[in-house]
Amino acid sequence: MQFTAEHENLRRTVARFVEMELNPHVEEWERAEEFPSHAIFKKLGDLGLLGIKYDPAYGGLGLDFSYSMVMAEELGLTHCGGVPMAIGVHTDMCTPALNRFGSEHVKRNFLAPSIAGDVVGCLGVSEPSAGSDVSAARTMARKDGDDYVITGQKMWITNGLKADWCCLLANTSDDAAHRNKSLICVPMDAKGITKQKIHKIGMHSSDTAQLFFDEVRVPQANVIGREGMGFTYQMQQFQEERLYSAASSLKGFDRLIDLTIEYTRDRQAFGKSILDNQVVHFRLAELRTEVEALRALTWSAVEQYVAGVDVTRLASMAKLKTGRLAREISDSCLQYWGGMGFTADNPVSRAYRDTRLVSIGAGADEIMLGIIAKLEGTLPGTSNRAPKVH
Ligand SMILES: Cc1cc2nc3c(=O)[nH]c(=O)nc-3n(C[C@H](O)[C@H](O)[C@H](O)COP(=O)(O)OP(=O)(O)OC[C@H]3O[C@@H](n4cnc5c(N)ncnc54)[C@H](O)[C@@H]3O)c2cc1C
């Protein structure tokens, strides 16, 4: 991936935003289990950072996806995972399908204010009994006159408590599970929506909610693209979500290794620094190599995505590797911090809690392995089992 001067300018802008507007408040937000998303999103919107890849007609910067990923990578400098995740849900998870397939009506009403930072968005796909298996979603949007009337539940929804609108996946017919779903823009102040906060082991500053929809009425004009295409749109939307997950993790991984080098260099045991034990500096060298390999994989996927290639395979690999590496790095680094690593107010223990999510959210590791195996032609029960040459 060749970065332009424009990429580097954007990098500096985002890094400065993290340093000035996010990191000084992270400790307070983590304790409060929330952050002022409306105020932060407005500041990001004023800088043009919520619509980097989107159409200028709706307030976007009209740049390509690689610029959005530069922002994701720099947001990884934030001293917690919750805030970058909340921003990513808004920029790269609940808006890509709206931008690509939405009508003028939904773009004006939901995309433009999201880009401006006037509203906060969330993505409602998972349900209490449908997480990995998205096709099993049961939330129903039945037609009544010109409206949908929505009944069901959504689970673990990031930004769910504060969001002004939700990109909601709901069944709009009794057709087969992959053809009966639609993505619908739902204003979160609609009558019949209730919310319940979910407490988590990590990602504390990000709000996570269970959402209940009881006969919620929204105009059918709020559907994104074609009715019945929601499952397909969501699978496409997942590619940007998974690449966001990878790109936004890289700098956090580097920071964890840097902090551990610093700590173990100072910390003495048996007359020498902890870092001087070969098992420690070799392990950290190996983890750094893994981060560089993940960086190369991620940017290779981004470059191909920008060129119009289907990157389902590479995005799934990048997401899988990010989840695996998050667990390896945070576990190894925490180990080398000893008892200090086990204390709550410590950057390593926070990363240990926060990054554990990567192997679960946006498609668990096993789901990524299934996708990769399917594309390799090795997944039993799938039609194309011929070995694939790349
Ligand atoms: C903090 C947080 C934020 C989230 N934010 C959002 C959000 O904003 N919007 C949204 O829609 N969802 C969100 N999610 C939901 C997330 O995407 C789901 O948790 C995830 O898809 C996994 O679904 P599940 O939890 O139901 O796990 P399940 O489907 O119950 O699976 C449990 C485990 O079983 C294993 N497994 C599952 N299928 C297979 C298989 N085929 N083969 C082998 N093993 C398998 C995996 O290890 C998996 O972790 C969030 C979750 C969390 C925790």
Side-chain angles (χ1 to χ4, degrees):
M1 178 82 203
Q2 289 293 313
F3 294 109
T4 63
E6 219 170 352
H7 282 114
E8 298 309 332
N9 282 339
L10 179 64
R11 232 179 236 298
R12 279 191 290 276
T13 303
V14 179
R16 193 170 157 73
F17 189 87
V18 171
E19 192 191 333
M20 306 296 290
E21 302 289 348
L22 303 182
N23 281 343
H25 309 288
V26 161
E27 298 305 323
E28 180 195 336
W29 296 341
E30 285 281 299
R31 272 194 302 277
E33 289 196 13
E34 63 173 342
F35 78 103
S37 43
H38 282 93
I40 294 298
F41 282 24
K42 188 63 206 155
K43 287 181 185 176
L44 286 165
D46 287 347
L47 289 169
L49 296 175
L50 297 181
I52 290 174
K53 61 190 171 182
Y54 293 146
D55 190 343
Y58 302 97
L61 296 184
L63 298 168
D64 68 44
F65 182 66
S66 66
Y67 291 86
S68 217
M69 290 301 95
V70 162
M71 168 154 158
E73 195 175 359
E74 294 308 308
L75 284 174
L77 292 168
T78 312
H79 293 171
C80 67
V83 176
M85 177 170 75
I87 296 169
V89 163
H90 186 88
T91 55
D92 292 275
M93 304 179 200
C94 75
T95 44
L98 172 60
N99 171 66
R100 191 166 302 146
F101 305 109
S103 63
E104 174 67 13
H105 169 76
V106 282
K107 283 185 179 174
R108 282 277 159 238
N109 285 297
F110 298 96
L111 185 62
S114 296
I115 291 172
D118 293 333
V119 297
V120 171
C122 69
L123 175 69
V125 173
S126 306
E127 300 189 359
S129 53
S132 300
D133 184 3
V134 174
S135 68
R138 287 202 293 229
T139 295
M140 189 70 203
R142 77 177 154 77
K143 287 179 187 163
D144 185 37
D146 291 337
D147 294 337
Y148 289 122
V149 179
I150 301 167
T151 298
Q153 290 182 35
K154 291 291 168 181
M155 189 72 178
W156 306 292
I157 304 308
T158 301
N159 297 343
L161 293 176
K162 294 193 177 171
D164 302 284
W165 73 278
C166 178
C167 172
L168 182 88
L169 187 75
N171 296 332
T172 44
S173 80
D174 296 328
D175 209 339
H178 298 94
R179 289 197 302 269
N180 70 346
K181 294 180 172 46
S182 303
L183 287 174
I184 304 169
C185 297
V186 178
M188 291 298 284
D189 60 358
K191 193 162 165 270
I193 299 179
T194 49
K195 309 164 185 184
Q196 194 169 326
K197 182 180 174 81
I198 296 176
H199 295 275
K200 314 180 292 295
I201 62 164
M203 296 289 196
H204 288 149
S205 45
S206 152
D207 90 62
T208 312
Q210 183 168 7
L211 306 177
F212 301 87
F213 298 81
D214 181 13
E215 300 275 300
V216 176
R217 196 170 272 277
V218 299
Q220 284 174 38
N222 284 13
V223 73
I224 294 174
R226 276 175 37 214
E227 203 182 75
M229 286 295 289
F231 184 84
T232 305
Y233 293 161
Q234 184 50 40
M235 292 304 122
Q236 292 172 356
Q237 193 159 248
F238 269 142
Q239 305 315 319
E240 297 195 15
E241 172 165 350
R242 287 168 187 161
L243 288 173
Y244 184 93
S245 175
S248 64
S249 297
L250 296 167
K251 293 228 164 168
F253 289 168
D254 276 333
R255 176 168 172 265
L256 217 48
I257 296 170
D258 290 342
L259 289 170
T260 304
I261 290 172
E262 210 176 291
Y263 181 79
T264 55
R265 181 174 276 135
D266 285 350
R267 183 83 180 165
Q268 301 283 314
F270 304 104
K272 62 179 180 181
S273 80
I274 303 279
L275 185 63
D276 282 347
N277 292 288
Q278 192 185 63
V279 69
V280 178
H281 58 254
F282 270 23
R283 178 69 178 144
L284 292 172
E286 188 169 334
L287 290 172
R288 184 79 82 186
T289 308
E290 295 275 346
V291 177
E292 283 306 320
L294 175 61
R295 181 170 275 119
L297 171 61
T298 304
W299 281 109
S300 167
V302 170
E303 193 172 21
Q304 292 189 43
Y305 187 71
V306 171
V309 176
D310 177 356
V311 295
T312 306
R313 179 171 166 273
L314 287 184
S316 306
M317 288 175 168
K319 166 68 171 58
L320 171 69
K321 188 66 189 168
T322 307
R324 297 287 207 225
L325 201 48
R327 291 154 79 172
E328 275 194 61
I329 295 179
S330 63
D331 187 67
S332 290
C333 289
L334 192 149
Q335 180 69 19
Y336 299 146
W337 281 64
M340 283 308 289
F342 203 69
T343 56
D345 291 329
N346 176 295
V348 179
S349 60
R350 178 176 298 155
Y352 183 82
R353 295 189 304 267
D354 286 359
T355 64
R356 186 63 182 82
L357 177 63
V358 184
S359 279
I360 298 168
D365 287 359
E366 293 79 1
I367 301 305
M368 297 305 102
L369 288 165
I371 295 170
I372 298 161
K374 189 174 175 189
L375 294 171
E376 293 290 305
T378 55
L379 191 71
T382 49
S383 49
N384 176 14
R385 293 203 64 200
K388 203 162 183 175
V389 179
H390 300 288

